[in-house]
Amino acid sequence: MKDHVFLFGALDREAETIPPGIIQEMAKMLDFVRSATAPSKPIETKPYYTMGGLELALRDAVKGFLHPWEARLGLAYHDEIRSEHWARVRALSRLYANGWAWPDEYDSLKPASDLIGRLQEEISRWLDSPADWTRQPTDEEERITALNPVRNTVFTALHDLAKVRLDEQHREDWLIAYRRSGKGSGRLRVGDIHHIFEESAPLISAVMEPSARAFLSEVVGIVKSAVEKAGGRFGIA
């Protein structure tokens, strides 16, 4: 923290009366800003990954996405998550039905952001422990620097994945959910949206439906591509 905090005071004074210590802080901040544009030193060590543990990480990510949303939809109980009012659920379906959900979604109801967040969190945790390295990192800074390009590429790809799976592939389903009306329409809409979520991010288990296997394969492909783009290796075993 001490290298990334800059303390300014007395800036309401005339320029010539600003204390020398504040001037030094300004110079320190400018040096820090300039250093951010300096070319990164090439990282000589690269990570090597195998599939071990990735499937479990993705299983936890999907559960971490689906279970809270089941509570928001009033289908299950989840600590500290309340069931959303039917009008808010309908407003969310309206955004997706009309293709207006990106990039902000609806108020605090952000299924795409939640899905991206859970996947990113679990994948990032998994990436922290490569099976091996081309050379062991000399220190923690080098290790983090070597892994950051992989994380960044995964994060970008997950945005595209969520947009396609939650939005584009289910536009008609969102439209059906939004157009529900009359007695019992709220309950039917909740069922529609829950089905969209389960299809977009299917539960991963030892016995998986074809849709879950396709989802797993797609996300594993994202991770594999990110590792290899960063110069690392990704093997099956």
Side-chain angles (χ1 to χ4, degrees):
M1 289 293 291
K2 64 183 177 64
D3 295 327
H4 297 80
V5 174
F6 310 98
L7 304 176
F8 298 130
L11 296 183
D12 57 333
R13 301 183 186 179
E14 294 294 332
E16 62 272 12
T17 64
I18 294 176
I22 301 302
I23 302 298
Q24 291 173 6
E25 284 290 292
M26 289 181 174
K28 181 180 171 185
M29 184 189 71
L30 288 172
D31 288 341
F32 176 77
V33 172
R34 292 190 189 100
S35 69
T37 65
S40 300
K41 295 181 180 179
I43 301 300
E44 297 177 356
T45 181
K46 304 294 181 182
Y48 171 63
Y49 293 95
T50 64
M51 272 289 292
L54 180 56
E55 186 171 321
L56 294 177
L58 298 179
R59 180 199 64 185
D60 292 344
V62 171
K63 287 182 178 179
F65 165 69
L66 289 177
H67 290 177
W69 269 99
E70 288 169 353
R72 292 186 184 98
L73 295 173
L75 298 173
Y77 172 79
H78 194 286
D79 290 342
E80 301 180 358
I81 297 180
R82 63 179 178 82
S83 175
E84 293 289 343
H85 190 274
W86 68 267
R88 282 171 55 80
V89 174
R90 185 172 186 269
L92 176 68
S93 69
R94 178 173 179 262
L95 282 183
Y96 274 93
N98 289 288
W100 300 338
W102 292 81
D104 295 326
E105 301 184 85
Y106 175 69
D107 193 32
S108 61
L109 302 182
K110 301 179 181 293
S113 296
D114 291 340
L115 177 58
I116 294 167
R118 299 296 73 73
L119 287 170
Q120 175 73 5
E121 181 181 2
E122 296 298 335
I123 292 172
S124 184
R125 185 178 292 121
W126 179 81
L127 288 171
D128 274 339
S129 303
D132 204 353
W133 295 86
T134 54
R135 170 182 60 73
Q136 284 298 318
T138 56
D139 53 30
E140 182 66 8
E141 182 179 356
E142 185 179 49
R143 189 185 75 84
I144 292 174
T145 304
L147 296 182
N148 278 344
V150 182
R151 289 195 180 95
N152 293 340
T153 301
V154 168
F155 187 61
T156 300
L158 289 178
H159 275 76
D160 296 334
L161 174 82
K163 189 175 191 301
V164 170
R165 283 190 155 267
L166 274 172
D167 185 11
E168 296 173 3
Q169 289 183 353
H170 291 283
R171 186 65 53 77
E172 289 299 320
D173 298 324
W174 283 110
L175 189 60
I176 291 171
Y178 170 58
R179 287 178 173 173
R180 298 280 190 189
S181 62
K183 186 177 180 180
S185 61
R187 178 177 55 81
L188 293 174
R189 183 178 298 111
V190 161
D192 293 335
I193 295 174
H194 185 233
H195 177 71
I196 291 171
F197 291 165
E198 286 189 318
E199 285 292 308
S200 300
L203 283 170
I204 295 171
S205 63
V207 182
M208 287 183 280
E209 297 291 330
S211 60
R213 293 192 179 280
F215 173 73
L216 176 63
S217 177
E218 191 171 357
V219 180
V220 169
I222 286 173
V223 177
K224 181 176 184 293
S225 176
V227 170
E228 293 175 347
K229 183 178 179 180
R233 292 182 294 158
F234 187 101
I236 301 302

